[in-house]
Amino acid sequence: MELNPYAKFLEGQDPMPVLAATPQRLRALINGLTAAQLNTPPAPRKWSITNIVAHLADCEIVFSFRLRQTLAPPLEQPHAIIQPFDQDAWAQRYSAYQLEPALALFQSARNWNLLFFNTVSHEDRHRRTTHPERGTMNLWTIVETMAGHDINHLQQLERIAATT
């Protein structure tokens, strides 16, 4: 598995403007869509717009913990091992979630992470952590993964919104 499977979406961009802009882009993409457009999957075994937003909210929680876990050990201690998760297992519960609470959670957690990034030093960016499936990376790889992940799902949402 790749260290950052979403790097191709970031295409060398600075991740911070992407992360800061995503909540507003999400709102713009969903603004004016009907409940049917928001909740109807584009194809069998694909996620609806609401499901994708719920996934983004789940992932923001995961990324929040991974970022903080990476910086938690003292420098002289071994680095943290971050926990992978099965997105498909989590997605089985997405039918219980509504769009607005999912979007509110995502925006709130993202805003909290943006504040956290203001505390990250140049040295912190290089703090190491290990993902059992992807390997050893640094904190900034997680940040770049977050931004690429955003772009990937924003592109999905654009495609779905354009076809509804």
Side-chain angles (χ1 to χ4, degrees):
M1 185 174 270
E2 296 175 67
L3 198 59
N4 176 1
Y6 298 99
K8 62 184 173 241
F9 295 101
L10 192 56
E11 296 178 334
Q13 295 178 71
D14 179 350
M16 295 312 297
V18 172
L19 295 172
T22 297
Q24 185 176 353
R25 287 196 59 206
L26 279 173
R27 283 249 178 236
L29 281 167
I30 64 174
N31 190 35
L33 296 178
T34 67
Q37 291 170 311
L38 294 169
N39 296 306
T40 303
R45 293 184 298 281
K46 296 291 183 184
W47 291 346
S48 69
I49 290 172
T50 298
N51 293 157
I52 293 169
V53 175
H55 169 72
L56 288 169
D58 273 350
C59 288
E60 199 66 18
I61 293 168
V62 171
F63 285 132
S64 295
F65 186 72
R66 287 177 176 176
L67 292 164
R68 287 155 181 82
Q69 191 178 23
T70 299
L71 295 184
L75 289 174
E76 67 277 2
Q77 296 291 321
H79 64 267
I81 297 178
I82 56 178
Q83 183 66 38
F85 69 98
D86 181 345
Q87 72 177 17
D88 294 324
W90 289 23
Q92 291 175 11
R93 300 178 190 274
Y94 287 165
S95 63
Y97 303 135
Q98 295 175 352
L99 178 69
E100 281 304 319
L103 187 55
L105 173 58
F106 173 77
Q107 283 187 284
S108 181
R110 175 57 57 88
N111 289 339
W112 195 250
N113 282 332
L114 291 171
L115 292 170
F116 172 80
F117 294 138
N118 292 331
T119 72
V120 173
S121 69
H122 179 73
E123 292 77 24
D124 288 339
R125 288 181 178 207
H126 300 285
R127 292 283 296 270
R128 294 163 47 101
T129 192
T130 297
H131 185 290
E133 297 169 350
R134 294 186 181 155
T136 298
M137 62 184 72
N138 60 40
L139 180 118
W140 207 247
T141 304
I142 298 171
V143 173
E144 292 171 339
T145 301
M146 292 172 70
H149 184 258
D150 281 5
I151 293 167
N152 172 51
H153 287 298
L154 287 166
Q155 289 174 356
Q156 280 182 310
L157 291 169
E158 288 168 353
R159 287 190 300 272
I160 295 169
T163 61
T164 59

